[in-house]
Amino acid sequence: MRRMNTSSSSKTTNPDETAAAEDAATKDALGASPEADDSAAASDDLGEQAARDDAADDGIEDEDLEPDPFEAARHGVGAGAAAVVSAALGVVALTGAWTGRVAAERETLIGQIKTSGGGSAAQQISEIYGDAWHTTALVNGVFALLALLVGVVVLVRPAFGAPADRPQPAWVRAVALAGVALGVLGMLISVGMYFDLFVSLPSAGSPVGG
């Protein structure tokens, strides 16, 4: 009888324990699975958002780093035009301009008017010839100075105001250097002419029998 009771009691308790264990496992599974699903979904959303942000950042950087051909061409044209202007001004400073001739003729006319009422030979030479000579030298010097300044600006500022990472064309630098050289040479010649360093004004001779 004792053996039968023991076996019967073991038979009755074992199903209860098994059911309780299954209930606990089911509750744990039901309680843990939504949180796991939420965390997995959140991590997936964060990964997708990060991927979209990276793609957007990459697109912006590519657009910023990509050079604009029209902008580069515009700056190249400006630098080339300024270099050509510098060289042209240097040539004008050496050969003379019509403005210098007009100014010289004006000074000659003024000198003739001043000395029409009488005057010494030295005064006539200075008023008629010397002032016109100096005026021509002054006008040529102004052109030489402009050529020098424009050429230096082109050489100092890369691509005429463009960012420094854009290289300047070689022909632009060559023409700008030519303008600077012509400007310096024109300045030297103009200074020598103005101060009578190369050729002095003619002097009036002594009167015969004086």
Side-chain angles (χ1 to χ4, degrees):
M1 293 296 290
R2 290 179 180 177
R3 290 179 182 178
M4 293 178 62
N5 292 331
T6 305
S7 61
S8 62
S9 62
S10 63
K11 290 179 180 179
T12 56
T13 56
N14 287 335
D16 295 337
E17 292 177 355
T18 303
E22 291 178 354
D23 292 338
T26 303
K27 290 180 180 180
D28 293 337
L30 291 175
S33 59
E35 295 178 356
D37 293 338
D38 293 339
S39 61
S43 62
D44 292 337
D45 294 337
L46 292 176
E48 293 177 357
Q49 184 66 29
R52 287 194 295 268
D53 293 339
D54 293 337
D57 292 339
D58 292 339
I60 293 174
E61 290 179 357
D62 293 339
E63 291 178 358
D64 293 337
L65 294 176
E66 185 179 359
D68 190 0
F70 297 101
E71 188 70 16
R74 183 176 67 84
H75 288 295
V77 169
V84 171
V85 168
S86 175
L89 290 173
V91 172
V92 171
L94 293 177
T95 59
W98 66 271
T99 53
R101 292 193 297 270
V102 170
E105 292 175 357
R106 180 178 180 276
E107 290 296 329
T108 300
L109 180 60
I110 293 174
Q112 291 175 353
I113 294 173
K114 288 182 178 179
T115 58
S116 62
S120 62
Q123 184 181 2
Q124 291 179 358
I125 292 172
S126 177
E127 295 290 340
I128 297 174
Y129 178 76
D131 291 347
W133 177 264
H134 295 160
T135 301
T136 302
L138 183 61
V139 173
N140 292 342
V142 171
F143 279 98
L145 180 61
L146 290 176
L148 179 61
L149 292 178
V150 175
V152 169
V153 169
V154 174
L155 293 175
V156 169
R157 300 187 64 181
F160 205 65
D165 56 351
R166 295 178 181 174
Q168 196 176 52
W171 70 270
V172 173
R173 296 185 61 86
V175 176
L177 284 173
V180 171
L182 292 174
V184 172
L185 183 60
M187 286 288 294
L188 294 176
I189 295 175
S190 298
V191 170
M193 289 176 59
Y194 190 83
F195 292 101
D196 301 327
L197 300 179
F198 302 135
V199 179
S200 61
L201 293 176
S203 59
S206 301
V208 177

